[in-house]
Amino acid sequence: MLTVHHLAMSQSERVVWLCEELALDYALVRYEREPNMLAPAAYKALHPAGTAPTITDGAVTLAETGAVFAYILERYGQGRLVVAPDDPAYADYLFWYHFANGSMMPGLFTSLIIHALGGPGGNPLAQGVLMRAEHGFAMLESRLSSVPYLAGGDFTAADITALFALTTMAAFTHRDLTPFPAIMAYVARVQARPAYRQAMAKAEPHG
Ligand SMILES: N[C@@H](CCC(=O)N[C@@H](CS)C(=O)NCC(=O)O)C(=O)O
């Protein structure tokens, strides 16, 4: 059976949400973080990566968000939540789907560390990383000012990959989103989805 191993307050909440959107029959196992915020030994034992998300499905154990999403969408999605290659929105779907994980998340994670170490100071590399993360928010604001969802008119897996950066990760980084009204409206719109609410009630039952 498809099992989502969810590490508390982590990116694996997106996989729970994906399963809820697809109305899959899946099991959820929840793990608390260690005091140092790392995954516990039981989680690290699942896959050599030792990171969330990790899923198991019969003989398969798989980590890494992009791989996990591809596995679930291609194996169980039946064409839902993706955009077909012959659809005019295909390139936008691909871009935003990958931008969330390939650029936003690494940028925000690195920003978190830079601020934890006292800020960029005069370091041009650190300043550049912070500027890139900031530019990501500006890009999202611009995109969401013209379309309701990242791929265009329809909600897709690109929205599931993106939201974490604007909710849980934004909370970790104390990111104020009020200067971005289109992002704020988008977050509210997507968080109102029944599947999102159901996923978060299961993934973070203590709120
Ligand atoms: N690129 C990886 C990053 C995974 C990652 O860093 N996950 C964090 C949770 S958000 C984690 O597992 N942290 C606990 C640990 O490293 O022990 C992915 O997208 O799956």
Side-chain angles (χ1 to χ4, degrees):
M1 179 178 212
L2 175 63
T3 301
V4 180
H5 297 270
H6 172 55
L7 177 65
M9 301 292 287
S10 84
Q11 302 179 57
S12 48
E13 71 184 37
R14 301 188 285 192
V15 181
V16 183
W17 182 18
L18 176 64
C19 291
E20 291 293 331
E21 290 283 353
L22 294 172
L24 299 183
D25 186 17
Y26 72 101
L28 176 66
V29 184
R30 196 172 180 282
Y31 303 71
E32 293 296 340
R33 288 180 184 259
E34 294 291 328
N36 62 4
M37 295 301 281
L38 293 181
Y43 203 99
K44 299 234 167 260
L46 292 168
H47 187 280
T51 50
T54 295
I55 58 167
T56 48
D57 190 21
V60 171
T61 302
L62 189 60
E64 193 64 43
T65 303
V68 168
F69 264 61
Y71 180 92
I72 293 174
L73 286 165
E74 287 165 24
R75 191 147 190 161
Y76 299 115
Q78 298 174 318
R80 292 171 294 166
L81 298 180
V82 297
V83 176
D86 59 351
D87 190 304
Y90 181 57
D92 282 332
Y93 166 73
L94 281 183
F95 174 76
W96 290 105
Y97 177 83
H98 289 285
F99 181 74
N101 240 25
S103 290
M104 281 303 279
M105 286 301 296
L108 291 177
F109 191 66
T110 314
S111 305
L112 183 66
I113 294 167
I114 290 170
H115 286 302
L117 293 175
N123 186 317
L125 274 179
Q127 289 169 347
V129 167
L130 294 182
M131 277 170 59
R132 266 172 72 157
E134 213 42 49
H135 183 59
F137 286 105
M139 285 174 67
L140 280 166
E141 178 68 11
S142 170
R143 176 70 177 159
L144 294 167
S145 298
S146 59
V147 288
Y149 299 107
L150 290 173
D154 295 326
F155 177 84
T156 67
D159 300 296
I160 303 180
T161 57
L163 196 76
F164 183 84
L166 304 172
T167 54
T168 308
M169 196 64 187
F172 272 139
T173 53
H174 304 290
R175 192 68 180 72
D176 176 19
L177 293 176
T178 50
F180 305 106
I183 292 179
M184 297 270 289
Y186 168 77
V187 168
R189 185 160 60 248
V190 174
Q191 283 185 323
R193 295 177 70 81
Y196 178 81
R197 298 166 78 93
Q198 179 78 358
M200 292 310 288
K202 290 181 181 176
E204 302 302 337
H206 315 301

Short mmCIF file of all heavy atoms in Angstrom, two decimals, residues 7-14 33-34 36-40 43-44 49-54 63-68 101 105-106 109 164 168-169 172, ligand 1:
data_model
loop_
_atom_site.label_atom_id
_atom_site.label_comp_id
_atom_site.label_asym_id
_atom_site.label_seq_id
_atom_site.Cartn_x
_atom_site.Cartn_y
_atom_site.Cartn_z
N LEU A 7 7.18 13.73 8.06
CA LEU A 7 7.95 14.34 9.14
C LEU A 7 7.26 15.64 9.53
O LEU A 7 6.93 16.46 8.66
CB LEU A 7 9.38 14.62 8.65
CG LEU A 7 10.31 15.32 9.63
CD1 LEU A 7 10.61 14.44 10.85
CD2 LEU A 7 11.63 15.71 8.93
N ALA A 8 7.02 15.81 10.83
CA ALA A 8 6.26 16.98 11.31
C ALA A 8 6.81 18.28 10.74
O ALA A 8 8.03 18.48 10.67
CB ALA A 8 6.29 17.01 12.83
N MET A 9 5.89 19.18 10.36
CA MET A 9 6.25 20.51 9.85
C MET A 9 7.31 20.44 8.76
O MET A 9 8.35 21.10 8.82
CB MET A 9 6.77 21.41 10.99
CG MET A 9 5.79 21.62 12.12
SD MET A 9 4.37 22.61 11.61
CE MET A 9 5.11 24.23 11.48
N SER A 10 7.04 19.63 7.75
CA SER A 10 8.05 19.50 6.69
C SER A 10 7.37 19.41 5.33
O SER A 10 6.15 19.29 5.21
CB SER A 10 8.89 18.25 6.91
OG SER A 10 8.24 17.12 6.37
N GLN A 11 8.23 19.36 4.32
CA GLN A 11 7.77 19.31 2.93
C GLN A 11 6.89 18.11 2.63
O GLN A 11 6.18 18.11 1.62
CB GLN A 11 8.97 19.24 2.00
CG GLN A 11 9.93 20.39 2.12
CD GLN A 11 11.10 20.25 1.18
OE1 GLN A 11 10.91 20.14 -0.02
NE2 GLN A 11 12.30 20.25 1.71
N SER A 12 6.95 17.08 3.47
CA SER A 12 6.13 15.90 3.16
C SER A 12 4.65 16.19 3.32
O SER A 12 3.81 15.40 2.87
CB SER A 12 6.56 14.69 4.00
OG SER A 12 6.71 15.00 5.35
N GLU A 13 4.30 17.35 3.93
CA GLU A 13 2.88 17.71 3.98
C GLU A 13 2.32 17.84 2.56
O GLU A 13 1.14 17.62 2.32
CB GLU A 13 2.66 18.99 4.79
CG GLU A 13 3.15 20.26 4.10
CD GLU A 13 3.02 21.51 4.97
OE1 GLU A 13 3.23 21.41 6.19
OE2 GLU A 13 2.72 22.59 4.41
N ARG A 14 3.20 18.22 1.60
CA ARG A 14 2.75 18.36 0.21
C ARG A 14 2.34 17.02 -0.38
O ARG A 14 1.45 16.96 -1.24
CB ARG A 14 3.88 18.96 -0.65
CG ARG A 14 4.33 20.31 -0.18
CD ARG A 14 5.27 20.95 -1.14
NE ARG A 14 6.61 20.38 -1.10
CZ ARG A 14 7.65 20.92 -1.69
NH1 ARG A 14 7.51 22.03 -2.39
NH2 ARG A 14 8.84 20.37 -1.61
N ARG A 33 9.99 15.58 14.78
CA ARG A 33 11.40 15.96 14.59
C ARG A 33 12.16 15.81 15.90
O ARG A 33 11.58 15.90 16.99
CB ARG A 33 11.49 17.41 14.13
CG ARG A 33 11.04 17.64 12.69
CD ARG A 33 11.18 19.12 12.36
NE ARG A 33 10.69 19.48 11.05
CZ ARG A 33 11.47 19.69 9.98
NH1 ARG A 33 12.77 19.55 10.07
NH2 ARG A 33 10.95 20.05 8.83
N GLU A 34 13.47 15.64 15.79
CA GLU A 34 14.35 15.65 16.96
C GLU A 34 14.47 17.11 17.45
O GLU A 34 14.15 18.04 16.70
CB GLU A 34 15.74 15.12 16.59
CG GLU A 34 15.77 13.65 16.19
CD GLU A 34 15.50 12.73 17.39
OE1 GLU A 34 15.87 13.08 18.52
OE2 GLU A 34 14.88 11.68 17.18
N ASN A 36 16.91 18.97 17.51
CA ASN A 36 17.74 19.74 16.57
C ASN A 36 17.06 19.91 15.21
O ASN A 36 17.70 20.37 14.25
CB ASN A 36 19.11 19.09 16.39
CG ASN A 36 19.01 17.69 15.80
OD1 ASN A 36 17.91 17.23 15.45
ND2 ASN A 36 20.13 17.01 15.70
N MET A 37 15.78 19.54 15.14
CA MET A 37 14.94 19.69 13.94
C MET A 37 15.20 18.63 12.87
O MET A 37 14.52 18.60 11.84
CB MET A 37 15.06 21.09 13.30
CG MET A 37 14.55 22.22 14.17
SD MET A 37 12.80 22.00 14.58
CE MET A 37 12.01 22.55 13.08
N LEU A 38 16.19 17.78 13.08
CA LEU A 38 16.42 16.72 12.09
C LEU A 38 15.39 15.61 12.26
O LEU A 38 14.67 15.54 13.26
CB LEU A 38 17.84 16.16 12.24
CG LEU A 38 18.97 17.14 11.88
CD1 LEU A 38 20.32 16.46 12.04
CD2 LEU A 38 18.81 17.69 10.47
N ALA A 39 15.32 14.74 11.25
CA ALA A 39 14.40 13.61 11.32
C ALA A 39 14.92 12.58 12.32
O ALA A 39 16.14 12.43 12.48
CB ALA A 39 14.27 12.99 9.93
N PRO A 40 14.02 11.86 12.98
CA PRO A 40 14.48 10.84 13.94
C PRO A 40 15.12 9.65 13.22
O PRO A 40 14.97 9.49 12.00
CB PRO A 40 13.19 10.43 14.64
CG PRO A 40 12.12 10.70 13.65
CD PRO A 40 12.56 11.90 12.87
N TYR A 43 13.08 7.59 10.85
CA TYR A 43 12.85 8.19 9.53
C TYR A 43 14.09 8.02 8.66
O TYR A 43 14.01 7.67 7.48
CB TYR A 43 12.48 9.68 9.66
CG TYR A 43 11.72 10.18 8.45
CD1 TYR A 43 10.34 10.29 8.47
CD2 TYR A 43 12.38 10.50 7.25
CE1 TYR A 43 9.63 10.71 7.35
CE2 TYR A 43 11.68 10.91 6.14
CZ TYR A 43 10.31 11.02 6.19
OH TYR A 43 9.61 11.43 5.06
N LYS A 44 15.25 8.29 9.25
CA LYS A 44 16.50 8.21 8.49
C LYS A 44 16.76 6.79 7.99
O LYS A 44 17.46 6.60 7.00
CB LYS A 44 17.67 8.70 9.35
CG LYS A 44 17.53 10.15 9.79
CD LYS A 44 18.73 10.95 9.43
CE LYS A 44 18.52 12.44 9.55
NZ LYS A 44 18.25 13.09 8.28
N ALA A 49 18.66 8.74 1.67
CA ALA A 49 18.62 10.21 1.75
C ALA A 49 18.30 10.68 3.16
O ALA A 49 18.78 11.71 3.61
CB ALA A 49 17.59 10.76 0.76
N GLY A 50 17.45 9.94 3.86
CA GLY A 50 17.10 10.30 5.24
C GLY A 50 16.29 11.57 5.35
O GLY A 50 16.22 12.19 6.41
N THR A 51 15.65 12.00 4.25
CA THR A 51 14.92 13.27 4.26
C THR A 51 13.45 13.07 3.90
O THR A 51 13.07 12.10 3.26
CB THR A 51 15.54 14.26 3.25
OG1 THR A 51 15.69 13.61 1.99
CG2 THR A 51 16.88 14.77 3.73
N ALA A 52 12.65 14.04 4.33
CA ALA A 52 11.22 14.06 4.02
C ALA A 52 11.00 14.91 2.78
O ALA A 52 11.60 15.99 2.66
CB ALA A 52 10.46 14.64 5.20
N PRO A 53 10.18 14.47 1.85
CA PRO A 53 9.31 13.29 1.95
C PRO A 53 10.00 11.98 1.58
O PRO A 53 10.90 11.96 0.75
CB PRO A 53 8.22 13.60 0.92
CG PRO A 53 8.93 14.38 -0.15
CD PRO A 53 9.93 15.23 0.58
N THR A 54 9.49 10.93 2.19
CA THR A 54 9.81 9.57 1.77
C THR A 54 8.47 8.82 1.70
O THR A 54 7.62 8.99 2.58
CB THR A 54 10.76 8.88 2.76
OG1 THR A 54 12.02 9.57 2.74
CG2 THR A 54 11.00 7.42 2.39
N ALA A 63 12.50 8.67 -2.00
CA ALA A 63 12.63 9.99 -1.37
C ALA A 63 12.80 11.03 -2.48
O ALA A 63 12.85 10.69 -3.66
CB ALA A 63 13.82 10.01 -0.44
N GLU A 64 12.90 12.29 -2.08
CA GLU A 64 13.11 13.46 -2.95
C GLU A 64 11.77 13.89 -3.56
O GLU A 64 11.16 13.14 -4.34
CB GLU A 64 14.15 13.18 -4.03
CG GLU A 64 14.64 14.43 -4.75
CD GLU A 64 15.39 15.42 -3.85
OE1 GLU A 64 16.22 14.98 -3.03
OE2 GLU A 64 15.13 16.62 -3.94
N THR A 65 11.35 15.09 -3.21
CA THR A 65 10.02 15.59 -3.59
C THR A 65 9.67 15.39 -5.06
O THR A 65 8.60 14.87 -5.38
CB THR A 65 9.91 17.09 -3.24
OG1 THR A 65 10.18 17.26 -1.85
CG2 THR A 65 8.52 17.62 -3.55
N GLY A 66 10.57 15.80 -5.95
CA GLY A 66 10.26 15.70 -7.37
C GLY A 66 10.03 14.27 -7.81
O GLY A 66 9.11 13.97 -8.59
N ALA A 67 10.84 13.37 -7.29
CA ALA A 67 10.70 11.94 -7.64
C ALA A 67 9.40 11.38 -7.06
O ALA A 67 8.68 10.64 -7.73
CB ALA A 67 11.90 11.17 -7.13
N VAL A 68 9.10 11.76 -5.83
CA VAL A 68 7.89 11.27 -5.17
C VAL A 68 6.65 11.77 -5.91
O VAL A 68 5.71 11.01 -6.17
CB VAL A 68 7.88 11.70 -3.69
CG1 VAL A 68 6.52 11.46 -3.06
CG2 VAL A 68 8.98 10.98 -2.92
N ASN A 101 10.47 23.97 -6.43
CA ASN A 101 11.43 23.10 -5.74
C ASN A 101 12.87 23.38 -6.13
O ASN A 101 13.77 23.24 -5.31
CB ASN A 101 11.11 21.64 -6.08
CG ASN A 101 10.80 20.87 -4.84
OD1 ASN A 101 10.38 21.46 -3.84
ND2 ASN A 101 11.02 19.58 -4.86
N MET A 105 12.64 26.84 -2.96
CA MET A 105 12.99 26.13 -1.74
C MET A 105 14.48 26.24 -1.41
O MET A 105 14.82 26.59 -0.27
CB MET A 105 12.53 24.66 -1.82
CG MET A 105 11.04 24.48 -1.67
SD MET A 105 10.40 25.11 -0.11
CE MET A 105 11.24 24.04 1.03
N PRO A 106 15.41 25.98 -2.37
CA PRO A 106 16.83 26.15 -2.01
C PRO A 106 17.14 27.59 -1.61
O PRO A 106 17.93 27.83 -0.67
CB PRO A 106 17.57 25.76 -3.30
CG PRO A 106 16.61 24.90 -4.05
CD PRO A 106 15.23 25.41 -3.71
N PHE A 109 15.79 28.15 1.91
CA PHE A 109 16.57 27.39 2.89
C PHE A 109 17.92 28.07 3.14
O PHE A 109 18.35 28.22 4.29
CB PHE A 109 16.75 25.95 2.37
CG PHE A 109 17.31 25.02 3.40
CD1 PHE A 109 16.59 24.69 4.54
CD2 PHE A 109 18.57 24.46 3.22
CE1 PHE A 109 17.12 23.84 5.49
CE2 PHE A 109 19.09 23.60 4.18
CZ PHE A 109 18.37 23.28 5.31
N PHE A 164 4.05 25.34 -0.09
CA PHE A 164 4.86 25.16 1.12
C PHE A 164 5.80 26.36 1.36
O PHE A 164 5.98 26.80 2.50
CB PHE A 164 5.68 23.86 1.01
CG PHE A 164 6.49 23.53 2.22
CD1 PHE A 164 5.93 22.87 3.29
CD2 PHE A 164 7.84 23.87 2.29
CE1 PHE A 164 6.67 22.56 4.42
CE2 PHE A 164 8.59 23.57 3.41
CZ PHE A 164 8.02 22.91 4.48
N THR A 168 4.39 27.08 5.35
CA THR A 168 5.26 26.56 6.40
C THR A 168 6.66 27.16 6.33
O THR A 168 7.23 27.59 7.34
CB THR A 168 5.32 25.02 6.31
OG1 THR A 168 3.99 24.51 6.28
CG2 THR A 168 6.05 24.43 7.51
N MET A 169 7.23 27.22 5.10
CA MET A 169 8.59 27.77 4.96
C MET A 169 8.59 29.26 5.24
O MET A 169 9.53 29.79 5.83
CB MET A 169 9.10 27.47 3.55
CG MET A 169 10.60 27.62 3.39
SD MET A 169 11.49 26.43 4.42
CE MET A 169 13.17 27.02 4.19
N PHE A 172 8.72 29.58 8.94
CA PHE A 172 10.08 29.29 9.45
C PHE A 172 10.99 30.50 9.26
O PHE A 172 11.85 30.78 10.09
CB PHE A 172 10.70 28.13 8.68
CG PHE A 172 10.39 26.76 9.26
CD1 PHE A 172 10.11 25.70 8.41
CD2 PHE A 172 10.40 26.52 10.62
CE1 PHE A 172 9.83 24.43 8.92
CE2 PHE A 172 10.13 25.27 11.14
CZ PHE A 172 9.84 24.22 10.28
N1 LIG B 1 15.49 18.26 -1.90
C1 LIG B 1 14.85 17.45 -0.87
C2 LIG B 1 14.96 18.20 0.45
C3 LIG B 1 14.35 17.38 1.56
C4 LIG B 1 14.53 18.05 2.91
O1 LIG B 1 15.50 18.84 3.15
N2 LIG B 1 13.60 17.74 3.80
C5 LIG B 1 13.67 18.25 5.18
C6 LIG B 1 12.26 18.57 5.68
S1 LIG B 1 11.58 19.99 4.93
C7 LIG B 1 14.20 17.16 6.11
O2 LIG B 1 14.07 15.99 5.84
N3 LIG B 1 14.77 17.59 7.25
C8 LIG B 1 15.14 16.68 8.29
C9 LIG B 1 16.53 16.12 8.16
O3 LIG B 1 17.30 16.55 7.27
O4 LIG B 1 16.88 15.26 8.98
C10 LIG B 1 13.39 17.17 -1.26
O5 LIG B 1 12.77 18.05 -1.87
O6 LIG B 1 12.87 16.09 -0.94
#
